Amino acid sequence: MTDEVAKALQPAQFRSDVTVELVRSAAGDSDVVWAARVSTAGELSLEALQQDPEKSKGLINYLMRDRHGTPFEHNSMTFFISAPIFVFREFQRHRAGWSYNEESGRYRELAPVFYVPGEERKLVQQGRPGKYEFHEGTPEQHKVVSQAMERAYSQAYQAYQEMLAEGVAREVARAVLPVGLFSSMYATCNARSLMHFLSLRTKDERAKTPSFPQREIEMVAEQMEAQWAELMPLTHAAFNAHGRVAP
């Protein structure tokens, strides 16, 4: 590493959290009501736009229970998410009802911000695929994980900076960076697609079908769910009441 690169090299930052910000929304329980009522009321369903959705709690529960899903699609939420790249690779398995735009390592120099699990993150995996159980790590294991990750991240970012300093294109130099690097993206969805995501990416005792998500994407999902629940409390309550199954 040249002296110039050493001077320019930013110190690596290590994080154990993720952040989710609801940046735009057009979503409410009333959206479910008027979308459903058009089936039987036609143009008269427009009256539901101004009605208190609390009066239609029974309708929302019926739709959720009997899995009439399309009324839950007439809304939109856009989240700005900051998380490790490996979280986004899992995210993009969810395609129906989702739109994504992620920051690009081709067009900008990526900052040295990396994921290191916090002390509360369970480290020990036991069992076979589909029946894994995770257990607490020892202080020694947490120390090994933190030191190994921080060392590897720092070396990878140093190699990235050396290539950039030699004029190598960003899209080539980024190949040495690990999936623990933080990235950011906008993710847009509707309530139905979000419920499907939550059914798979959260572990909840109310769920009819158990799910075993990786903890880091579950951290994102929990924040998304909390913000959605404020927008559509009746729909969220019905989702929980009927086994956290997407309609």
Side-chain angles (χ1 to χ4, degrees):
M1 179 171 57
T2 65
D3 291 341
E4 291 76 13
V5 172
K7 291 177 182 178
L9 190 62
Q10 301 178 53
Q13 301 175 45
F14 305 110
R15 291 176 53 182
S16 61
D17 65 324
V18 299
T19 57
V20 178
E21 180 183 357
L22 180 68
V23 297
R24 184 176 62 84
S25 66
D29 291 313
S30 60
D31 299 328
V32 180
V33 177
W34 55 254
R37 292 207 185 284
V38 73
S39 298
T40 57
E43 69 278 2
L44 296 179
S45 63
L46 292 168
E47 297 175 3
L49 291 169
Q50 308 303 325
Q51 292 175 358
D52 182 357
E54 186 71 31
K55 296 179 180 179
S56 299
K57 183 188 300 185
L59 173 60
I60 292 174
N61 273 279
Y62 159 73
L63 296 169
M64 190 75 70
R65 184 194 70 211
D66 285 14
R67 304 195 70 186
H68 295 288
T70 53
F72 297 97
E73 296 178 1
H74 294 269
N75 55 81
S76 177
M77 294 163 280
T78 298
F79 299 90
F80 183 73
I81 303 167
S82 179
I85 288 174
F86 66 80
V87 169
F88 292 166
R89 296 304 162 263
E90 288 198 330
F91 236 111
Q92 289 165 6
R93 293 175 181 270
H94 300 269
R95 297 182 293 278
W98 287 88
S99 297
Y100 303 106
N101 279 92
E102 184 182 351
E103 75 176 274
S104 173
R106 295 184 68 193
Y107 303 123
R108 66 170 304 190
E109 183 175 328
L110 299 171
V113 183
F114 300 95
Y115 176 75
V116 174
E119 293 183 0
E120 72 285 351
R121 209 300 188 188
K122 295 179 179 179
L123 295 181
V124 181
Q125 176 181 306
Q126 297 177 350
R128 58 184 176 82
K131 291 199 173 181
Y132 289 137
E133 292 184 354
F134 284 84
H135 301 277
E136 303 291 341
T138 65
E140 290 75 18
Q141 287 173 321
H142 277 283
K143 182 178 180 180
V144 167
V145 167
S146 296
Q147 291 180 343
M149 285 187 172
E150 291 179 11
R151 181 171 60 251
Y153 290 150
S154 297
Q155 290 174 347
Y157 197 75
Q158 177 181 318
Y160 173 68
Q161 289 287 294
E162 288 175 350
M163 284 187 279
L164 293 182
E166 291 297 325
V168 175
R170 288 184 291 266
E171 65 183 50
V172 176
R174 66 176 175 169
V176 298
L177 295 174
V179 294
L181 181 77
F182 267 74
S183 186
S184 60
M185 75 170 179
Y186 289 104
T188 299
C189 61
N190 59 55
R192 189 183 191 186
S193 55
L194 180 59
M195 284 186 278
H196 180 260
F197 173 80
L198 295 175
S199 72
L200 294 172
R201 301 302 182 177
T202 59
K203 188 173 184 178
D204 193 294
E205 61 184 13
R206 294 166 293 188
K208 287 182 179 178
T209 304
S211 181
F212 305 94
Q214 182 164 339
R215 178 55 191 154
E216 287 75 15
I217 196 169
E218 186 180 31
M219 290 160 60
V220 173
E222 289 169 348
Q223 293 187 46
M224 295 177 76
E225 180 170 2
Q227 295 176 53
W228 167 59
E230 292 185 8
L231 294 173
M232 304 179 73
L234 300 180
T235 302
H236 181 251
F239 174 61
N240 285 326
H242 296 287
R244 294 177 66 85
V245 176

